[in-house]
Structure formats: structure tokens, C-alpha cells
Amino acid sequence: MSYDENNIFAKILRGEIPCKKIYEDDFVLSFFDINPQKKIHALVIPKGKYVDLDDFSVNASSVEIVGLLKGINKVAKKLEISVDTGKGYRALANISEHGGQEVPHLHFHLFGGEKVGKMVQ
Ligand code: AMP
């Protein structure tokens, strides 16, 4: 699947539509999900144009891969849900059709602020 420049997260990255920003650096942008499924529901997206985690794993540079993983940790710390707060959270990426992915720009969901329950419902 080729990257769709008009997906909603591409528009957010270009500043064409607003988001409730949590964190940004050279590699990631993080913002609150518009339809939160848990008390805290954040999204972390790479700045590069990657459709999903498979695309990212194959095509992203090592620097981008490290940047995304470290970005997730920075967001968790900023939201005070990281392991060092004693709380924790779930990081989840939906991948393509069977994974239930709706927006075709790689994103990790971070769920926390409460016990998030069973992994798959
Ligand atoms: P997924 O099903 O993994 O592709 O998840 C896409 C997520 O993006 C959903 O949880 C949506 O609620 C969320 N979403 C869609 N549009 C926006 C938006 N404009 N700002 C923030 N989150 C959004």
C-alpha cells in the first residue's frame, strides 16, 4: 500500500488540522486521541511517511526507529504513566485490515491512567 498524503495524520503533521499536542521532536509527534478509549489515550506518530509498522520496520532508518521508540517513552513520562511512576500503560499498533487500522499513517496508541483491561476484547 502506498502512502496516502491526504490521511488525517499527514494533515495534522502539516498543520492543516489541529491536534491536542502532547510532545514533539525531530522524529515524533504525539497528541491526544479524538475519541479516547481509556482515561488517557495518546497517539504517537513518526514524522516520516510510513503506512504501518511493517512499512516502518522495513523502510525507516535506524535513527528513525530509535527516535520513535524513545518518543513513546518520552510521552509516557510526560503523561506520568511510565513504569518509573509505578503505573504503566499499554502501547498498541493496529496494522492493516485484520489489525483494524483506520488511519494509514503508523501510530502507536498509549492507553493508561487506569487499569486498561484485557489485551483483546
Ligand atoms: P486506528 O484504528 O489504529 O487506525 O486508530 C486511529 C485512531 O485515530 C482512532 O483511535 C481515532 O479516534 C483517532 N483519530 C482519528 N482522527 C483523529 C484526529 N483528528 N485527532 C486525533 N485522533 C484522531
Side-chain angles (χ1 to χ4, degrees):
M1 186 192 197
S2 60
Y3 185 80
D4 171 12
E5 298 280 352
N6 286 319
N7 78 74
I8 195 113
F9 294 169
K11 290 180 180 174
I12 288 175
L13 279 170
R14 291 196 296 267
E16 291 168 10
I17 60 169
C19 69
K20 284 177 69 182
K21 190 191 290 188
I22 300 165
Y23 175 78
E24 181 172 16
D25 63 23
D26 288 346
F27 301 104
V28 300
L29 175 66
S30 175
F31 46 93
F32 287 105
D33 197 290
I34 205 167
N35 182 22
Q37 301 299 308
K38 295 292 170 192
K39 210 165 179 180
I40 293 175
H41 184 173
L43 299 170
V44 184
I45 71 173
K47 288 204 165 166
K49 297 172 182 176
Y50 299 103
V51 176
D52 55 36
L53 189 59
D54 281 2
D55 181 20
F56 187 74
S57 302
V58 171
N59 296 310
S61 68
S62 301
V63 171
E64 288 176 297
I65 292 170
V66 170
L68 176 59
L69 290 177
K70 288 199 175 283
I72 289 170
N73 177 254
K74 286 173 187 165
V75 171
K77 280 192 156 70
K78 191 158 186 188
L79 293 172
E80 300 183 335
I81 57 175
S82 60
V83 167
D84 47 325
T85 65
K87 294 175 185 163
Y89 61 101
R90 177 170 299 146
L92 179 148
N94 294 320
I95 300 163
S96 201
E97 191 184 344
H98 283 194
Q101 182 177 3
E102 288 172 5
V103 179
H105 180 113
L106 170 62
H107 49 283
F108 275 88
H109 298 257
L110 305 191
F111 299 107
E114 61 184 324
K115 290 200 176 179
V116 299
K118 286 191 176 181
M119 190 166 70
V120 177
Q121 289 162 354

